[in-house]
């Protein structure tokens, strides 16, 4: 026959249940969740960019952009979507993505907005790769809402 658990055994069980409960509650509570906002300018020419949206913004995954575009496929040119981030009052290169004339949508992500920093501004340009001519551009600002 087994004997009844001792007080020491019960304390260990209760302590274990409490620790597991606290960990579960802490895991479900996102102390880093924040609200983000974005503003998007109209395209500079409207010749190529049809729509730009910021799909999701999170501290873990950054900001996800969706871009709808129209490129003349008969021009036999190569085009790129080039992202610039405003740093120290000027736009600096942040990434380049190839565009295909037969597709009309692309997406990309940028780093997460910092919660305690000013909003970040990006310029998204559609450029002709041959001569870096800017065909269209939009400016997007993303920031954490202060509460």
């Amino acid at each position: 026959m087994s004997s009844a658990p001792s007080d020491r055994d019960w304390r260990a069980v209760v302590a274990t249940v409490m620790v597991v409960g606290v960990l579960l509650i802490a895991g479900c509570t996102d102390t880093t969740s924040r609200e983000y906002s974005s503003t998007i300018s109209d395209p500079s020419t409207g010749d190529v960019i049809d729509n730009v949206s910021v799909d999701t913004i999170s501290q873990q995954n950054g900001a996800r952009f969706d871009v709808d575009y129209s490129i003349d496929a008969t021009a036999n040119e190569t085009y790129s979507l080039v992202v610039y981030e405003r740093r120290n009052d000027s736009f600096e290169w942040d990434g380049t993505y190839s565009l295909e004339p037969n597709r009309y949508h692309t997406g990309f992500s940028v780093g997460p907005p910092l919660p305690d920093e000013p909003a970040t501004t990006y310029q998204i340009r559609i450029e002709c790769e041959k001569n870096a001519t800017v065909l269209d551009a939009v400016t997007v600002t993303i920031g954490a809402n202060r509460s």
Side-chain angles (χ1 to χ4, degrees), residues 56-71:
T56 58
I57 306 171
S58 73
Q59 188 62 35
Q60 292 79 20
N61 299 320
R64 171 83 181 150
F65 289 80
D66 287 312
V67 179
D68 296 323
Y69 62 91
S70 302
I71 294 178

Side-chain angles (χ1 to χ4, degrees), residues 32-124:
T32 61
S33 78
R34 299 194 183 270
E35 294 291 320
Y36 295 93
S37 62
S38 62
T39 58
I40 302 170
S41 73
D42 289 331
S44 60
T45 66
D47 292 339
V48 179
I49 298 174
D50 297 322
N51 185 47
V52 174
S53 62
V54 181
D55 186 33
T56 58
I57 306 171
S58 73
Q59 188 62 35
Q60 292 79 20
N61 299 320
R64 171 83 181 150
F65 289 80
D66 287 312
V67 179
D68 296 323
Y69 62 91
S70 302
I71 294 178
D72 181 8
T74 61
N76 292 327
E77 298 285 345
T78 306
Y79 301 96
S80 295
L81 183 147
V82 185
V83 179
Y84 296 89
E85 181 180 345
R86 184 183 300 270
R87 298 182 197 137
N88 300 321
D89 295 328
S90 66
F91 283 106
E92 297 181 23
W93 179 87
D94 193 54
T96 300
Y97 305 88
S98 296
L99 296 179
E100 296 178 32
N102 299 332
R103 289 185 54 204
Y104 303 102
H105 178 84
T106 192
F108 64 94
S109 294
V110 296
L114 300 174
D116 298 327
E117 297 290 325
T120 304
T121 300
Y122 298 93
Q123 191 171 72
I124 301 167

